[in-house]
Structures are given as C-alpha cells and as structure tokens.
C-alpha cells in the first residue's frame, strides 16, 4: 500500500519549475516521476497549475500543485494499493472534481499517478515496461528524431515546428539511434558549411535561420544522403508543423515565409511536399480548430501518409473517439501530461488501436531526466516514439533507456521498423 508521498518543485529542461513526486510503499518500494511541460499546447489539454506569483520564477512556480500533492492528494491516497492504478487514478480524478484537472492541476495528479505505477513495478521487481505491458511488451519503437527545430521551439523564422528523421530501416533500436546520430552530425557539418548557426532549440535540434519547409527538408534530406542512407528506405522524413500555432481567422498565417494559405491551399501545399519529399508522417498538419481541413487532408493524403493528431486530440479518449467517428487523422500522439493519469493515457492508446489508428508516444518540449515515456512506448507496443534530437540529455535519456530495454529483452526484442507507421514497404 502507499505509505508516503512527497512532492517537490524541481526545474525542467527550459529552467522552468515543474513537479516531481516520490512515492514509498509500505514494503519500502520507491517510485519517482517528474512531469513534463509543453510550449505549443492544445487548447483542450488538462490544466497545468502554475502559481502565477510574479515574485517567483516569473509566475511559473508550482508550489500550489506541490502543496496539493503533499496535502489533499496524500491524504486521499495514503493506504491505497499501488497495483490498483485505475482505482488510484479514479480517486485522483474525483478529488480534483473538474473535467480538465483544473483544481489540483494535471501536473500534481500526473506526478502521483506515474510515481505510484513506478513504485508498484518496483514492488513486483519488474521494469516499468513489463509491469504496465506484461510479458508481450517487447516491441521497440521507431524513434522520430527532431533534428531541425522551428516554430514555438526556436527563435528562427521557420514556421514549421519540427523536422524529424525516423530510421525505419534499422534492424534494432540501438542501430536506429546510431543512424540518427550520424545524420545529426552530418547535418551539423552541412549547416556550418552553409554559414548557418548550429545552436539548438528546445528539443535539441538545430535552429538555423531558415524560412521555408523546403529549405529545412533539403538540408535534412541532403544530410541523410551524404551519411550514406537512402531517404524513404533507410530513413524517412517526419514533420510536425504544429499548425494550431499559426492558424488565425480561418487561414494558415506563415509569418516566416510572409504569406497566408487558405485551408485548401494548406492541403495542396502539404500534398505537394509529400509528393516531392519522402515524408511518411505529418503531425498536426491542420489546426485543432480546423476539422473540415483535417477531413479534406485525410481524403487527399490519408491513404499513404500517417496523419497524427496532437493538439486536436490532446490524448483525450473522448476527443479521439469523436475524431475516429468523423474521419479526423489516422494516428494519435500520446503525451501523458495532456490528460494527466496513466489510466486515461492507456485508455486513449487502446481506443486508437481498436480503431486502426497508429500511436506515437511523445515527450514535451519541456522535459526532465525522467524516462517514463520510453517504458510506456514499449509497454503499449505502440511502435513509435517522438522524443527529440540526438543532443540534450533530457532527450537522449529516453533513447538511452530504450537501448537498455532492448538489451534487457535480448533475443525477445523486436524493432518496430517501417510497419509501425502503417507503411507497407
Ligand atoms: P510542446 O510541443 O511539447 O511544446 O507542446 C510538442 C508538439 O507539438 O508535439
Ligand atoms: Zn505536436
């Protein structure tokens, strides 16, 4: 049973405060979880509670959320069985009492939910991926590595937020990391040679002074080729334009490029990029408020491109179900802090799988050394993880954890490869 809960305020990869929770069970087992934080958040995400006290951390303090962990939440969950995750999460949701965890904060609730799961895994002497996923949890995800950063994650004029490489042709996860690292370093050299900055953005990808997706894709494609890999075969391209950030008054407002695209023009533009570059997956190609645009794009590209909903679903099972019913996206991004409990996260993954949607486990742009999502990617067998570039320990920590999991699984481990994205060949 849960014997002790300790919340504290720590700092994340952007130097902003976030919640960390330690849980101790009566048998002495320990679990610790730290909560991530987004910059380009969906409007319907669970609420991240901040103190709004300008005298501390520019208003971003989380002493209030930590206070709830150590007070109300601890009072409600001490004595509960750690293995009864659904019961625990139900208690947390009911104690909060709002539809979006606005009272106690999804940051307070998620910290407790994940720390309890990790303590329970420790009590069973199981790694988290096996505790959550069972003996069948042995599929290592394809990493989507974000090597060029723009949008809300960098100060450059790039309108699109993320340009990623996915080593679908690797034989193992460790090999995928090697391939990604090699391309990352080739790209660094190429950018330097072209007179660009090689400073990195929030997710560890380069943030060169580029304006258009074409320019970024050319650099990434060139780096793949110059490293000796076949684009589309060994390594495919993935983008997250994060369009909710620049959809205004019914049009897509490309401030970096200095032009606007109507919904139809946005669809045509993306279809053109997919025709000219080996892009296998696009996340938030259309904005969270542009469901008609989403359906238009699905008709146009849905059969041969993974179209992943992030802001439009917010890891929320109800929003996902509505999207499944109405033909929005064919894939869902899963971010634990968008919904706030492990149980709800797993429910969303289950709903996606039953509808034939693919699932991408994901970090946030604000991260910590916590590697829970690496285990959850294997636990759910989702086959894909998005967790940043091949630099910055907050990003590489997840890749390193997956390397360890692959080693531990030994001959049982299977790398998801190209089928994970719904690609047939
Ligand atoms: P965020 O961005 O963590 O800043 O919200 C990540 C994403 O849009 O996928
Ligand atoms: Zn996104």
């Amino acid at each position: 049973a849960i014997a002790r809960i300790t919340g504290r305020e720590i700092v994340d990869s952007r130097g902003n405060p976030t919640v960390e929770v330690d849980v101790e069970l009566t048998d002495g087992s320990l679990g610790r979880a730290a909560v991530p934080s987004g910059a380009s958040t969906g409007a319907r995400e669970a609420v991240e509670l901040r103190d709004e006290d300008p005298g501390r951390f520019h208003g971003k303090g989380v002493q209030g959320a930590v206070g709830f962990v150590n007070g109300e939440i601890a009072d409600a969950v001490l004595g509960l069985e750690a293995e009864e995750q659904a019961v625990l999460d139900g208690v947390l949701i009911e104690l909060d009492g709002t539809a979006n965890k606005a009272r106690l904060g999804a940051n307070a609730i998620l910290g407790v939910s994940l720390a309890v799961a990790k303590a329970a895994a420790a009590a069973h002497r199981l790694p988290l991926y096996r505790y959550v996923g069972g003996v069948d949890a042995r599929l290592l995800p394809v990493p989507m590595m974000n090597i060029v950063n723009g949008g809300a994650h960098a100060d450059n004029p790039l309108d699109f937020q993320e340009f990623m490489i996915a080593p679908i042709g690797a034989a193992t996860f460790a090999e995928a990391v090697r391939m990604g690292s090699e391309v990352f370093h080739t790209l660094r050299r190429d950018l330097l040679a072209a007179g660009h900055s090689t400073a990195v953005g929030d997710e560890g990808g380069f943030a060169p002074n580029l304006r258009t997706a074409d320019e970024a894709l050319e650099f990434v494609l060139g780096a793949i080729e110059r490293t000796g890999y076949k684009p589309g075969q060994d390594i495919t391209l993935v983008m997250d334009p994060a369009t909710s950030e620049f959809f205004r008054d019914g049009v897509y407002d490309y401030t970096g490029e200095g032009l606007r695209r109507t919904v139809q023009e946005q669809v045509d533009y993306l279809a053109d990029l997919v025709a000219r570059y080996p892009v296998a997956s696009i996340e938030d190609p259309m904005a969270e408020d542009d469901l008609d645009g989403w359906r238009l794009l699905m008709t146009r590209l849905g059969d041969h491109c993974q179209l992943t909903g992030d802001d439009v679903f917010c890891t929320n099972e109800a929003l996902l179900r509505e999207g499944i019913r109405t033909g929005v996206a064919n894939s869902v991004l899963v971010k634990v802090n968008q919904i706030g409990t492990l149980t709800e996260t797993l429910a969303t993954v289950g709903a996606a799988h039953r509808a034939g949607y693919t699932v991408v486990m994901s970090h946030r742009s604000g991260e910590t050394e916590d590697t829970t999502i690496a285990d959850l990617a294997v636990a759910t067998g989702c086959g894909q993880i998005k967790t940043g570039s091949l630099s910055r320990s907050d990003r590489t920590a997840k890749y390193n954890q997956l390397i360890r999991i692959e080693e531990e699984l030994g001959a049982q481990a299977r790398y998801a490869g190209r089928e994970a994205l719904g690609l047939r060949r």
Side-chain angles (χ1 to χ4, degrees):
I2 300 171
R4 196 209 306 259
I5 292 202
T6 311
R8 68 178 67 85
E9 186 180 60
I10 63 168
V11 282
D12 70 13
S13 56
R14 279 192 279 251
N16 290 324
T18 190
V19 177
E20 178 171 88
V21 177
D22 285 356
V23 166
E24 187 178 343
L25 307 185
T26 40
D27 70 356
S29 300
L30 299 170
R32 169 176 292 171
V35 177
S37 172
S40 66
T41 50
R44 280 156 292 198
E45 292 193 15
V47 173
E48 177 181 85
L49 197 65
R50 299 266 178 202
D51 297 338
E52 311 298 341
D53 167 6
R56 298 185 72 251
F57 287 113
H58 301 276
K60 292 181 192 283
V62 291
Q63 285 185 328
V66 166
F68 283 132
V69 171
N70 293 327
E72 271 192 58
I73 293 179
D75 290 345
V77 307
L78 287 182
L80 293 185
E81 289 306 323
E83 300 86 59
E84 302 208 23
Q85 188 75 40
V87 172
L88 169 92
D89 288 338
V91 166
L92 293 171
I93 290 165
E94 209 172 298
L95 183 68
D96 173 79
T98 70
N100 57 357
K101 304 184 177 66
R103 192 175 78 79
L104 301 173
N107 40 356
I109 291 171
L110 180 69
V112 173
S113 181
L114 294 181
V116 168
K118 291 164 93 170
H124 288 275
R125 292 194 173 72
L126 289 172
L128 185 65
Y129 68 89
R130 179 157 284 180
Y131 171 70
V132 175
V135 290
D136 290 335
R138 55 199 181 85
L139 188 66
L140 273 292
V142 171
M144 297 175 160
M145 298 152 154
N146 181 12
I147 59 175
V148 175
N149 296 185
H153 295 168
D155 301 325
N156 58 10
L158 259 183
D159 295 296
F160 281 15
Q161 182 178 279
E162 305 174 19
F163 295 87
M164 293 169 273
I165 51 173
I168 51 175
T172 64
F173 182 82
E175 189 182 31
V177 169
R178 174 175 62 76
M179 292 165 72
S181 165
E182 290 166 358
V183 173
F184 176 73
H185 287 285
T186 304
L187 177 61
R188 181 170 197 281
R189 202 191 56 206
D190 291 353
L191 288 169
L192 268 182
H196 285 292
S197 160
T198 55
V200 296
D202 285 357
E203 299 188 350
F206 300 114
N209 205 29
L210 305 175
R211 284 186 320 114
T212 67
D214 268 276
E215 290 177 89
L217 290 169
E218 285 297 336
F219 266 106
V220 174
L221 198 60
I224 293 170
E225 283 168 345
R226 272 186 288 283
T227 311
Y229 295 116
K230 278 205 197 69
Q233 286 298 314
D234 300 321
I235 300 181
T236 193
L237 302 179
V238 176
M239 301 189 294
D240 179 6
T243 55
S244 303
E245 294 293 307
F246 58 93
F247 184 64
R248 280 180 274 276
D249 303 323
V251 295
Y252 291 86
D253 189 2
Y254 286 72
T255 51
E257 265 188 84
L259 60 83
R260 284 155 200 243
R261 291 185 170 94
T262 64
V263 171
Q264 184 61 55
E265 285 166 350
Q266 172 74 358
V267 169
D268 294 342
Y269 176 55
L270 293 171
D272 179 55
L273 287 176
V274 169
R276 289 187 294 114
Y277 296 99
V279 174
S281 177
I282 313 176
E283 177 184 329
D284 285 358
M286 310 302 284
E288 61 190 324
D289 295 327
D290 184 17
L291 298 182
D292 289 340
W294 262 106
R295 283 184 283 266
L296 262 181
L297 186 72
M298 274 297 288
T299 308
R300 185 80 164 271
L301 286 183
D303 286 340
H304 51 280
C305 196
Q306 178 173 263
L307 301 172
T308 305
D310 171 9
D311 290 351
V312 71
F313 298 142
C314 293
T315 314
N316 182 310
E317 187 185 355
L319 293 177
L320 173 64
R321 282 182 184 283
E322 180 66 9
I324 290 167
R325 201 175 59 74
T326 57
V328 172
N330 54 28
S331 172
V332 58
L333 200 80
V334 168
K335 293 166 164 169
V336 283
N337 81 320
Q338 279 184 328
I339 191 67
T341 65
L342 178 58
T343 301
E344 290 165 289
T345 302
L346 298 177
T348 299
V349 172
H353 280 159
R354 286 190 296 276
Y357 276 42
T358 55
V359 173
V360 182
M361 194 60 58
S362 173
H363 67 162
R364 299 309 301 250
S365 52
E367 271 291 337
T368 67
E369 59 273 32
D370 184 293
T371 60
T372 306
I373 60 164
D375 282 72
L376 292 185
V378 177
T380 58
C382 68
Q384 303 178 69
I385 190 168
K386 167 172 119 152
T387 187
S389 182
L390 278 304
S391 82
R392 300 301 189 204
S393 299
D394 39 303
R395 312 298 144 182
T396 55
K398 280 70 164 176
Y399 295 131
N400 291 339
Q401 173 68 358
L402 285 161
I403 288 172
R404 289 180 210 111
I405 292 173
E406 184 170 66
E407 175 188 283
E408 183 172 277
L409 287 168
Q412 287 196 320
R414 201 160 70 75
Y415 177 64
R418 53 190 312 116
E419 292 109 66
L421 286 75
L423 303 171
R424 266 168 212 98
R425 51 155 285 119

